[in-house]
Amino acid sequence: MFCDLVPRHFLAVVPQNRVIIPNKHGEKLVGLLHDSGSKEIVVLCHGFQSSKDYTAMSNLANALEKEGITAFRFDFAGNGESEGTFAYGNYGREADDLRSVVEHFAGENRVVSVILGHSKGGNVVLLYASKFHDTRNVVNVSGRYDLMRGIEERLGKDFLERIKKEGFIDVKNQAGEVKYRATEEALMDRLNTDMHKACQQIDQDCSVLTIHGSADEIIPVEDALEFAKIIPNHKLHIIEGADHGYSSHQTELASVVLEFIKSRLQLQDKSSTS
C-alpha cells in the first residue's frame, strides 16, 4: 500500500536487480527491478523494436524509485536481452508476456498496481486490461488507436499485395541489411487487433491515463483523442511540443506519470483502510 512506500531520504542507493521470468512459451524474459521496498510495483512496457533500456523507460523507472515506488522494466520476448524471435505484430503474445510478469510478482507476494506502456507498449497494456481485468491503473503513453495506419511507413507501398504474393516482407536498414522479416501471419495479427473493441471491454473501475505529445511524428495526437472517446474511465494529457520519444520533454513526462500514479496509489490506500 502507499503507506508502505520507502521515505525518499532512504533512497540514496536503490539496487537494480536483474530478474528472469519465463513466459507461457518457455522463453526467458529479462527485466530490471528498481526495488524501493514497496509492495506495489509499476511495470513498464517498451515499444516496437525497443527495449527496457529505452530512455523513457529508464528515466521513468528512476523517477518512480526516487519517490519510493518500485518499478520493473523488462524486454518482451524477441527484444533486448529476452529470449525468443522478434516478430512484427505480436500484440497478443506481448500481452501474455505481461501476464507472466504480473503472475510472477503475485507469486512473490507483490502487487502490480500500475501497468505503463510506451508506443506499441501502450497498446499492449490496454489490451492486457481488456483481456485479464485484474489491473486498476493503466498508463498509455503514445499508443496507436488505428493499427491500419503506420504500416506503409515500415513495410512500404502495396504491402498487402506484396506480402500475400511472397508470404513475407524483409524490412531493411539504409545499408541494405535485413532488420526483421514481417510475415503475412504477423501482419494479419496487427490488422486483426481491434483497439476500439478492446478499449470498450476495459472495466469501468480501471483508471486509464493517456499521454501523448502534440508534435508526435510517428503516431498522430488524434489517436489519443479517439482513446478518450471510448475508454470508460479515462483521463487525457497532451504534452505540448513533445515528439514520439519525448526527447525534450522527459521531465514533464515523468511529472505527469508520477502525479497520476501517486494519486491512484493514495486512493487505493484509503479504500483499503476504510
Side-chain angles (χ1 to χ4, degrees):
M1 292 182 289
F2 191 79
C3 59
D4 294 329
L5 303 184
V6 177
R8 294 182 68 178
H9 58 277
F10 289 131
L11 296 175
V13 178
V14 178
Q16 295 177 19
N17 301 320
R18 194 167 184 268
V19 179
I20 297 176
I21 301 170
N23 67 10
K24 65 184 291 186
H25 303 285
E27 298 160 332
K28 294 177 181 177
L29 307 176
V30 179
L32 290 176
L33 182 67
H34 298 243
D35 198 345
S36 68
S38 66
K39 183 175 182 179
E40 287 81 8
I41 296 176
V42 177
V43 175
L44 307 176
C45 301
H46 66 76
F48 180 78
Q49 275 211 307
S50 187
S51 78
K52 64 184 179 304
D53 298 321
Y54 184 66
T55 301
M57 298 294 97
S58 180
N59 286 349
L60 287 172
N62 290 330
L64 286 161
E65 96 181 18
K66 288 177 182 177
E67 293 293 331
I69 304 170
T70 298
F72 181 68
R73 50 189 172 102
F74 75 102
D75 297 324
F76 287 114
N79 293 269
E81 294 184 276
S82 291
E83 293 181 346
T85 303
F86 174 82
Y88 185 84
N90 244 24
Y91 290 86
R93 278 190 61 146
E94 292 190 356
D96 287 340
D97 281 355
L98 178 54
R99 179 65 170 171
S100 296
V101 169
V102 172
E103 289 179 336
H104 169 83
F105 286 115
E108 297 286 328
N109 197 32
R110 309 290 286 267
V111 178
V112 174
S113 296
V114 184
I115 53 176
L116 177 152
H118 172 252
S119 194
K120 184 186 178 186
N123 291 90
V124 172
V125 295
L126 292 171
L127 290 168
Y128 181 96
S130 74
K131 181 177 180 180
F132 295 106
H133 306 284
D134 64 351
T135 183
R136 293 292 171 263
N137 304 295
V138 175
V139 182
N140 161 36
V141 182
S142 305
R144 188 184 290 279
Y145 169 76
D146 184 358
L147 293 180
M148 292 288 292
R149 291 172 31 167
I151 301 176
E152 184 174 303
E153 288 85 340
R154 297 191 189 278
L155 303 187
K157 293 184 179 298
D158 304 318
F159 61 85
L160 197 56
E161 178 183 329
R162 288 162 50 222
I163 208 165
K164 285 189 175 296
K165 180 181 179 181
E166 301 292 337
F168 64 90
I169 293 175
D170 283 336
V171 178
K172 301 178 181 180
N173 60 21
Q174 291 183 335
E177 301 166 333
V178 176
K179 293 169 59 181
Y180 61 89
R181 172 168 289 186
T183 64
E184 182 178 358
E185 179 184 9
L187 176 61
M188 290 301 104
D189 174 82
R190 173 167 175 153
L191 294 177
N192 291 328
T193 300
D194 187 340
M195 292 308 301
H196 185 94
K197 182 178 179 180
C199 288
Q200 290 179 320
Q201 295 172 345
I202 296 175
D203 293 341
Q204 175 68 41
D205 60 354
C206 178
S207 182
V208 178
L209 169 66
T210 290
I211 305 171
H212 214 104
S214 67
D216 193 317
E217 73 285 10
I218 295 177
I219 300 175
V221 70
E222 287 78 16
D223 283 38
L225 305 180
E226 292 301 319
F227 284 127
K229 292 177 185 177
I230 58 174
I231 296 175
N233 183 0
H234 185 271
K235 292 182 179 180
L236 174 63
H237 188 102
I238 304 297
I239 296 183
E240 290 299 324
D243 60 16
H244 190 64
Y246 298 84
S247 52
S248 300
H249 296 79
Q250 291 288 308
T251 300
E252 187 174 353
L253 173 63
S255 177
V256 174
V257 168
L258 281 171
E259 181 181 0
F260 173 78
I261 290 176
K262 290 168 70 174
S263 67
R264 291 299 300 168
L265 293 181
Q266 287 174 334
L267 185 62
Q268 287 177 198
D269 187 42
K270 289 178 182 178
S271 299
S272 64
T273 56
S274 61

